[in-house]
Amino acid sequence: MHHTTRPGWIEVIAGVMFSGKSEELIRRVRRSVIAKKKVQVFKSHLDDRYGGVYQVSSHDGAAVEARPVDSSIEIMRLVRPQSEVIAIDEAQFLDEGVVDVVTTLATRGVRVILAGTDTDFRGEPFGAMPQLLAIAAIMDKLHAICVVCGDPACRNQRLINGRPASYESPTIMVGGSEAYEARCRHCHSVPKADEAQVRLL
Ligand code: ADP
Ligand code: ZN
């Protein structure tokens, strides 16, 4: 019997903000374009760092645009039958349905590449990232550099008016004035709003 490697698997690029996930996703997409694969790129519309869309272009002039999406169902609707590689950036913002969507695509023979922040500002698992990491055939966890001490950073520090945001702050802030820094576990700070009260009890 003749065996060939059949296409169709899931890759996850995880890590904190500034760890280079988008760079790595774009690198893989660019290489797929060079390999003349049919590629589609999606990203959650909640990430507006690049304005409406961002482009991934190759040396030979081919370009891939990332399509902003609101939900996993929208990805399923927009995927073209002939697509061989599907890349999804900012996967942590997508609903849990993304797990079924990427499983279906991989089974169909698609190489699925997801990039996402695997922990929220509290340092706790973010959205569907734990499930995605569990079902991935290939996963990479990238680190940034702690802006306080220079060690590898594995946490997202949320700052509001320059001060660490409290634990009770919402996971996703819409149109907020918050800022983020990459920090290591030891320089990361998430005060509990009621800590002072608890001490009094
Ligand atoms: P991600 O998608 O993980 O948020 P990006 O790919 O958008 O990351 O950006 C990674 C780039 O950010 C790095 O190559 C580097 O130039 C820059 N950068 C800014 N701050 C930091 C930091 N604290 N640690 C590492 N890289 C940083
Ligand atoms: Zn540190």
Side-chain angles (χ1 to χ4, degrees):
M1 204 178 120
H2 180 68
H3 287 272
T4 52
T5 306
R6 287 194 280 174
W9 63 84
I10 297 163
E11 297 170 28
V12 174
I13 306 162
V16 290
M17 293 166 76
F18 306 107
S19 63
K21 299 182 300 295
S22 296
E23 282 174 355
E24 180 57 25
L25 186 85
I26 288 168
R27 177 179 167 275
R28 293 185 195 182
V29 165
R30 189 175 294 137
R31 291 166 63 87
S32 301
V33 171
I34 291 168
K36 301 206 164 26
K37 301 286 183 203
K38 296 191 179 65
V39 185
Q40 277 183 277
V41 186
F42 299 98
K43 62 162 192 163
S44 163
H45 82 292
L46 279 173
D47 177 56
D48 56 5
R49 279 187 299 174
Y50 302 93
V53 288
Y54 71 84
Q55 267 207 342
V56 184
S57 358
S58 75
H59 268 114
D60 59 2
V64 184
E65 273 189 1
R67 170 79 189 245
V69 289
D70 286 324
S71 66
S72 57
I73 290 292
E74 205 179 341
I75 295 178
M76 210 56 198
R77 220 177 34 233
L78 292 167
V79 165
R80 290 187 283 267
Q82 65 272 25
S83 287
E84 297 164 285
V85 179
I86 301 291
I88 305 170
D89 202 359
E90 304 295 344
Q92 77 280 358
F93 289 141
L94 287 167
D95 53 285
E96 305 266 321
V98 69
V99 176
D100 279 347
V101 167
V102 298
T103 300
T104 303
L105 292 172
T107 305
R108 204 199 267 177
V110 175
R111 173 184 175 194
V112 184
I113 312 169
L114 298 127
T117 301
D118 49 343
T119 53
D120 62 16
F121 77 97
R122 305 178 189 94
E124 294 174 352
F126 204 151
M129 290 303 289
Q131 287 91 330
L132 292 170
L133 283 161
I135 62 169
I138 302 166
M139 56 150 289
D140 291 280
K141 183 140 172 169
L142 307 182
H143 295 92
I145 299 297
C146 174
V147 298
V148 179
C149 74
D151 278 353
C154 58
R155 294 284 175 92
N156 297 305
Q157 178 69 54
R158 178 186 285 170
L159 300 169
I160 296 175
N161 299 322
R163 276 194 238 106
S166 74
Y167 186 90
E168 290 75 9
S169 171
T171 302
I172 299 173
M173 291 185 79
V174 180
S177 56
E178 84 279 20
Y180 292 93
E181 285 179 358
R183 294 198 189 179
C184 72
R185 167 184 296 277
H186 306 289
C187 297
H188 184 247
S189 162
V190 199
K192 293 224 165 150
D194 60 355
E195 250 170 21
Q197 284 170 0
V198 171
R199 250 178 266 126
L200 290 175
L201 293 174

